Amino acid sequence: MATGARDEWTNRTPRSGIAGESRSMDSEILLSRAAALRDEGHGRIQTWSPKVFIPLTQLCRNLCHYCTFSQPPRPGEMPFLTREDVLDIARAGQSAGCTEALFTLGDKPELRFAAARDALARLGHETTLSYLREMCATVLSETGLLPHINAGVMNREELAMLRPVSASMGLMLESVSDRLCAKGGPHYRSPDKVPAARLQTLSDAGELGIPFTTGILIGIGETRAERIAALEAIADLHARYGHIQEVIVQNFRAKPRTVMANAPEPDMDELLWSIATARLILGPKMNIQAPPNLSADDFGRLMEAGINDWGGVSPVTPDHVNPERPWPHIDQLRAVTQASGRILVARLPVYPGFSGPRWIDPAVMPMLLAASDASGYARADDWSPGIALPERPATGDCSTVDPAIAAITARAVAGDAISENEISTLFETRGADLEHVCASADALRRAVSGDTVTYVVNRNINYTNICAYRCGFCAFSKGDKAEALRGAPYDLDLSEVVRRSQEAWDRGGTEVCLQGGIHPHYTGETYMGLARAVRAAVPEMHIHAFSPLEVWQGAATLGLDLETYLRGLKDAGLDTLPGTAAEILDDSVRDILCPDKLTSAQWREVIETAHRVGFRTTATIMFGHIDTPRHWAAHLIQIRDLQRRTGGFTEFVPLPFVHMEAPNALRGQARRGPTFREVRLMHAVARLALHPHITSIQTSWVKLGEAGVRACLDAGANDLGGTLMNESISRAAGTQHGQEMPPAEMDRLIRAMGRAPLQRTTLYGPVPDDIRQRGLDAAELTPPIQTPPRKRRAPTSEMETMTYAE
């Protein structure tokens, strides 16, 4: 590798210089530099993996002088865990909230023990790795836990065989010193500890794109120079393949009844030196771990040397490799972490940055997505939008706020345009930083909107669920005249649209929201006809209708430019437009999520043209599927820039992805919606990033329920949207929060928070008392009629033909 490439990768002194510096540097300076590097790469996040330890077999062909994990066969005992044993352990971990199934086992015992060969034959396998593959596949499919495999030295074919049943793998390099394998050394008569063999496994894993854990074992007779050589070898492999997701610096602990029972152990200073040196060699971005249970009660000191991870800690199983040293309780781990000003975050066996298709087999990806949050860490709970929010205990997170976070929020509150990087940073906050962001947004909400919470009495009218588009997230649309899982397709008569609009007016509604699927036979005239019919029947009703996709399609079918068609809609009676169909304004996401829909530029073009024509619109984001905080930040910047040019947005509406019946989620191609933390942050960061240009932030009761919207109203939101009367789209996706929240219920919810409810119009004007009273006195809704599809004329334009063909 060229020296220049190496320098660029570490962004620090070339490695020979680092090695020399670490040997001669004052320990306090060394630790300080290492911790600063760690903070540069990882901020205040300190990770751990909730795991179960599954010791598939403790037979091993090696004879390491320090190991008590390896055990000889015992007469009458099964030397392998059975399928039932494995599942019992995995299910106990699943019940305890674990996400990782750590499979640790001895190296190829069948090459040494007849008992291993006989047991494998009874299990229907010739090799330990073949049986391991079956057990990993079983755990993955039966529990959803993500296997991490520590199976010793493997060749390329064996690694490839295990890739489709594991999220990640690992092999401790331990040392690159051949002399440790000589007679009298700790690795004597241990063929799988030959450094060249272990380096070859690490290299093969890199070529196969396997997220890999490795590390060094200190205190077994190696010198500091040999440790540095091992760390440099790891660095070279990572520079070549980019696959080393984690490096462990593990200290030797002497165990009774081993050859090295009386060998001296490295002290804390030696361990700290080794960790800090690893950080300097491997750079700020590498994940560096030191096991907390091997350092007794002062394990918190390990953070001084630059670690950012505690490794796997199990609430269920012991550390079978070091059974005499129990893992700390999670509460203790959290308290020690917080005492150092860091924030404990649960991760998956795969670190953030290693969750894409380059690294994860398609067979594993659905389980990984189901367990992930938007940043690639483990989901904090089992909640998803659309279901009731459980009671949330106080977290007791560290009380100090990162000064950098405080500075960003202060600038946002002052009205400065914070950057995309700063917005993304706010979306990544956790612990005290998260609470500070939400509190800052809430204080800004109070300054801008007071303690008034607004809502509009409206009715959603989805005039058809037939759609030629195939958005991966949509559970609402149906194919043309095709029966589907969630009910029959329909195409409402104009008379039914008018009847629902009149009923909404009679019940105190001031707005109808008209949207539907992109019916292959609809033209631009269809949309204008809907607006004319409602305007003629209910002249005072505000018509809020037609997403940018419907506008784009309508204009194209009539051969009109956008401005001409939008003016036609205005003449037909349209008042405002919903800014839906935005999803995520990033075409790399849209190409997967909704590849046949508008591009980001086309969505912006429709909205900007609508504002120029004189329409006001909402702005939306639909988040929590395959997107990331970086995408959210870019989306908010685009909304803010549009608003600064046009001033046409009335509000910003975060729409959490409801996954339960979404096609992409059912296929395992999306996460389970945003986490509750992400929902709070979306409302809070939107308030900060869009200030002072958009002053109303809406929260969706139909997706979040009462407890969810209360939390968002405490995190920057000031508006509850519409009462809806009918709600089809979220309900089709699986939400359980109903179709209507009448005005009296809105008032009750708001007053229970000590806020003042205010019914508004679509454009945030006052509502006359007589109309408001009609809403409070409203009768039950008449059951809606879902008009079955009917024959429509054949398409006449090239666009209509194309749309129908889709």
Side-chain angles (χ1 to χ4, degrees):
M1 183 194 311
T3 302
R6 173 67 183 171
D7 293 350
E8 181 181 355
W9 178 62
T10 62
N11 198 29
R12 289 294 180 272
T13 310
R15 66 184 184 190
S16 58
I18 291 172
E21 284 184 21
S22 68
R23 280 190 287 241
S24 60
M25 192 182 300
D26 176 82
S27 61
E28 188 173 328
I29 296 173
L30 176 65
L31 298 187
S32 177
R33 284 191 59 185
L37 271 180
R38 182 268 320 281
D39 293 346
E40 177 187 332
H42 300 278
R44 301 207 298 164
I45 300 298
Q46 186 78 16
T47 51
W48 70 291
S49 178
K51 73 175 182 185
V52 287
F53 195 131
I54 303 177
L56 192 64
T57 181
Q58 292 186 250
L59 301 184
C60 182
R61 72 167 179 159
N62 297 307
L63 295 170
C64 300
H65 291 187
Y66 46 77
C67 181
T68 57
F69 177 78
S70 173
Q71 297 293 324
R74 292 185 176 90
E77 289 188 13
M78 176 62 173
F80 291 85
L81 295 180
T82 65
R83 182 180 190 275
E84 292 71 25
D85 295 332
V86 168
L87 280 176
D88 284 346
I89 296 170
R91 285 173 176 148
Q94 181 186 27
S95 298
C98 296
T99 52
E100 174 184 348
L102 170 63
F103 281 88
T104 292
L105 52 152
D107 288 67
K108 301 183 177 65
E110 67 274 17
L111 299 180
R112 178 182 174 191
F113 297 110
R117 294 190 291 273
D118 293 343
L120 287 169
R122 293 195 299 274
L123 292 166
H125 292 270
E126 291 186 3
T127 68
T128 298
L129 295 182
S130 171
Y131 182 53
L132 172 63
R133 188 185 195 284
E134 180 187 333
M135 291 302 98
C136 288
T138 298
V139 166
L140 193 64
S141 63
E142 294 285 331
T143 70
L145 295 187
L146 297 164
H148 174 83
I149 294 174
N150 287 342
V153 169
M154 292 181 279
N155 62 35
R156 183 186 178 91
E157 291 71 26
E158 291 164 339
L159 289 164
M161 175 185 71
L162 292 171
R163 191 176 189 271
V165 296
S166 62
S168 54
M169 301 187 207
L171 175 70
M172 290 289 284
L173 175 58
E174 297 195 10
S175 176
V176 291
S177 173
D178 287 315
R179 67 181 184 81
L180 299 182
C181 298
K183 188 173 183 178
H187 292 154
Y188 179 58
R189 297 175 64 193
S190 299
D192 296 302
K193 293 302 176 82
V194 173
R198 299 177 90 76
L199 287 167
Q200 186 62 54
T201 295
L202 266 66
S203 179
D204 288 343
E207 291 183 357
L208 291 169
I210 297 172
F212 218 75
T213 293
T214 189
I216 61 172
L217 179 61
I218 73 164
I220 57 172
E222 83 294 344
T223 66
R224 281 188 170 186
E226 287 169 335
R227 288 179 213 160
I228 289 170
L231 290 168
E232 290 176 341
I234 292 169
D236 285 343
L237 283 164
H238 183 63
R240 191 177 311 146
Y241 301 113
H243 70 305
I244 304 296
Q245 63 164 359
E246 170 187 41
V247 173
I248 302 171
V249 179
Q250 181 171 331
N251 50 316
F252 160 72
R253 301 307 301 253
K255 296 176 174 60
R257 298 181 299 281
T258 65
V259 176
M260 296 179 67
N262 297 315
E265 299 177 339
D267 61 18
M268 177 59 79
D269 288 340
E270 192 68 16
L271 177 56
L272 294 177
W273 180 90
S274 301
I275 295 169
T277 301
R279 175 59 72 191
L280 266 61
I281 291 173
L282 297 168
K285 292 293 187 182
M286 180 57 71
N287 298 296
I288 297 181
Q289 175 203 133
N293 59 319
L294 301 186
S295 294
D297 292 336
D298 58 349
F299 69 85
R301 292 196 60 200
L302 302 174
M303 289 181 284
E304 298 173 14
I307 66 166
N308 65 287
D309 183 75
W310 292 121
V313 176
S314 180
V316 176
T317 52
D319 180 352
H320 290 279
V321 175
N322 300 282
E324 77 285 1
R325 299 191 176 273
W327 281 302
H329 191 277
I330 302 308
D331 291 341
Q332 182 189 8
L333 198 66
R334 180 174 290 106
V336 168
T337 302
Q338 291 173 4
S340 293
R342 300 183 61 73
I343 300 169
L344 189 67
V345 176
R347 63 166 173 86
L348 304 172
V350 177
Y351 278 85
F354 289 88
S355 57
R358 175 187 174 191
W359 304 108
I360 303 299
D361 191 271
V364 180
M365 186 64 81
M367 281 65 77
L368 180 64
L369 286 170
S372 299
D373 70 10
S375 300
Y377 295 109
R379 294 182 74 91
D381 52 42
D382 288 332
W383 177 83
S384 292
I387 63 176
L389 189 69
E391 286 292 322
R392 308 192 63 79
T395 60
D397 286 312
C398 63
S399 58
T400 59
V401 175
D402 186 336
I405 299 299
I408 296 171
T409 57
R411 290 183 53 240
V413 168
D416 293 347
I418 57 177
S419 69
E420 183 175 323
N421 282 340
E422 290 173 322
I423 295 170
S424 182
T425 297
L426 295 185
F427 276 128
E428 295 283 7
T429 55
R430 296 167 191 266
D433 296 338
L434 160 67
E435 299 306 325
H436 177 77
V437 170
C438 291
S440 299
D442 192 47
L444 181 57
R445 179 271 310 161
R446 187 176 296 108
V448 171
S449 304
D451 282 331
T452 298
V453 178
T454 50
Y455 65 90
V456 61
V457 178
N458 69 344
R459 185 170 198 171
N460 273 11
I461 303 176
N462 303 118
Y463 38 77
T464 184
N465 63 352
I466 296 171
C467 188
Y469 288 75
R470 292 293 178 269
C471 299
F473 59 85
C474 183
F476 170 71
S477 68
K478 309 292 182 289
D480 189 19
K481 302 179 184 176
E483 194 73 25
L485 290 175
R486 290 165 296 278
Y490 65 82
D491 182 12
L492 299 186
D493 277 332
L494 271 180
S495 60
E496 176 62 9
V497 174
V498 166
R499 186 198 69 76
R500 294 188 194 184
S501 300
Q502 181 65 60
E503 185 178 35
W505 180 257
D506 295 340
R507 299 179 84 246
T510 57
E511 170 195 297
V512 288
C513 179
L514 306 176
Q515 291 187 96
I518 305 301
H519 195 297
H521 288 174
Y522 278 18
T523 72
E525 183 57 43
T526 309
Y527 303 123
M528 290 192 288
L530 283 161
R532 289 192 197 101
V534 174
R535 176 63 64 229
V538 196
E540 296 180 82
M541 181 67 80
H542 184 104
I543 303 174
H544 182 66
F546 314 130
S547 73
L549 179 58
E550 289 160 298
V551 171
W552 184 277
Q553 188 248 6
T557 60
L558 299 180
L560 300 175
D561 62 81
L562 285 172
E563 182 166 338
T564 300
Y565 182 59
L566 282 161
R567 292 190 185 281
L569 286 170
K570 182 179 278 286
D571 291 342
L574 182 62
D575 293 303
T576 55
L577 284 78
T580 49
E583 325 314 353
I584 295 292
L585 293 175
D586 182 289
D587 288 339
S588 66
V589 174
R590 299 176 79 83
D591 287 346
I592 300 169
L593 197 67
C594 46
D596 53 355
K597 213 167 189 174
L598 298 178
T599 65
S600 300
Q602 289 169 335
W603 186 92
R604 293 193 303 270
E605 183 183 357
V606 174
I607 290 293
E608 190 155 8
T609 305
H611 291 175
R612 186 169 63 248
V613 167
F615 285 114
R616 303 292 300 279
T617 75
T618 60
T620 65
I621 185 171
M622 196 271 290
F623 66 106
H625 33 82
I626 60 171
D627 46 346
T628 68
R630 179 66 63 185
H631 297 128
W632 304 341
H635 186 105
L636 289 181
I637 292 286
Q638 292 176 69
I639 296 298
R640 186 177 71 192
D641 288 349
L642 254 177
Q643 182 73 341
R644 292 168 77 175
R645 290 198 301 273
T646 70
F649 289 126
T650 54
E651 68 234 57
F652 180 72
V653 188
L655 299 171
F657 171 57
V658 178
H659 80 285
M660 282 76 84
E661 297 294 336
N664 57 356
L666 292 173
R667 291 192 295 266
Q669 297 170 345
R671 298 193 303 278
R672 296 189 290 116
T675 65
F676 184 61
R677 168 188 154 273
E678 291 162 356
V679 167
R680 293 177 68 206
L681 277 172
M682 181 58 72
H683 293 77
V685 176
R687 168 64 70 184
L688 295 165
L690 300 176
H691 175 68
H693 308 289
I694 297 179
T695 57
S696 184
I697 307 296
Q698 187 180 119
T699 184
S700 172
W701 63 265
V702 77
K703 297 178 186 293
L704 299 176
E706 287 196 20
V709 297
R710 281 197 299 269
C712 293
L713 289 170
D714 280 335
N718 65 288
D719 185 78
L720 282 175
T723 58
L724 300 184
M725 299 192 198
N726 299 115
E727 201 294 316
S728 302
I729 296 173
S730 296
R731 186 163 50 96
T735 185
Q736 302 170 4
H737 298 308
Q739 295 193 69
E740 181 176 24
M741 184 176 285
E745 287 298 298
M746 288 279 196
D747 292 348
R748 177 195 57 77
L749 186 159
I750 295 164
R751 288 195 178 105
M753 295 185 65
R755 308 272 177 91
L758 179 65
Q759 184 179 337
R760 62 169 174 86
T761 66
T762 307
L763 294 175
Y764 288 78
V767 175
D769 289 343
D770 61 321
I771 295 178
R772 173 162 169 73
Q773 193 59 48
R774 285 208 307 268
L776 294 171
D777 298 337
E780 291 293 318
L781 282 167
T782 302
I785 299 170
Q786 304 292 66
T787 314
R790 58 201 181 280
K791 186 175 182 180
R792 291 179 176 268
R793 67 171 181 79
T796 57
S797 71
E798 181 180 346
M799 176 62 189
E800 286 181 78
T801 303
M802 180 186 72
T803 304
Y804 185 75
E806 292 174 353

